[in-house]
Amino acid sequence: MTSNIDIDPRVTTSRVALVTGGSGGIGRAVVERLAKDGMAVGVHYSGNQARADETVAAVVAAGGRAFAVGGDVADEDAMSAAFDAVEAEFGGIDVVVNTAGIMILSPISTLNLDDLDRMHRTNIRGTFVVSQQGARRVRDGGAIINFSTSVTRTQFPGYGAYVASKAAVESITLILARELRGKNITVNAVAPGPTATALFLDGKDEATIANLAKAVPLERLGQPDDIAETVAFLAGPGRWVNGQTVFANGGLA
């Protein structure tokens, strides 16, 4: 992925973000977009530290502040330590963006239940653990942003288990927004449509990808930067958007 952060040296901020799954795909685009806005960013990774270090290096080379922090999002001790590390490095946390997730596609009738458990551990428990830490730690005026999927509306065959996990993410998100009444912290979910990432492209032939692109009124796949722009709005100026699932999908019905 080519970096194009272009941080304006005149932009300064004391705001700090932690981005889970921040080492590649949408997560990396989010890291770079928030860094462009002047935020210091904790770049979380689960298994690929080298890729996280590359993301950090790109931000730092552009004049931003970032460092890598590892851990399993579904492990409450690991995530508590990750939040501790970001707070120690940058003095606090204002924005939590939880892009970490896995997708395993299969008809419901043939899905391996071990895959179901693995996906739900990351997508549901992981979102819950990260949201719980965010609820305890995000500072006044901050934002928690989780990730769902537009397939909760499109109902594509083969996505049953994945969509079930993301529907849970939406419910966690919308309830947490109401539980944080009076804290001045917004909580929203972003639901991308078909986006050109390794997670989306893996296992799909060119015809399938072309058909999905054509299904969007804008007649193209989304790019990670498209999703990052939505996140940047919710993390920054979008203070009146709260307790919502924002469908960033180019108009996919």
Side-chain angles (χ1 to χ4, degrees), residues 148-155 163 170 191-194 246-249 252-253:
S148 180
T149 173
S150 286
V151 189
T152 55
R153 293 198 308 188
T154 56
Q155 296 102 35
V163 165
E170 291 186 17
V246 179
F247 289 85
N249 61 20
L252 184 69

Side-chain angles (χ1 to χ4, degrees), residues 11-31:
V11 175
T12 59
T13 178
S14 59
R15 285 167 67 78
V16 177
L18 169 61
V19 181
T20 72
S23 62
I26 290 173
R28 175 164 178 167
V30 168
V31 167

Side-chain angles (χ1 to χ4, degrees), residues 35 54 70 73 87 112 141 154-155 164 172 181 186 197 221 225 252:
E54 289 174 7
V73 290
E87 289 175 336
N112 184 310
T154 56
Q155 296 102 35
I172 292 167
R181 174 184 290 273
T186 61
T197 65
L221 295 180
D225 288 347
L252 184 69

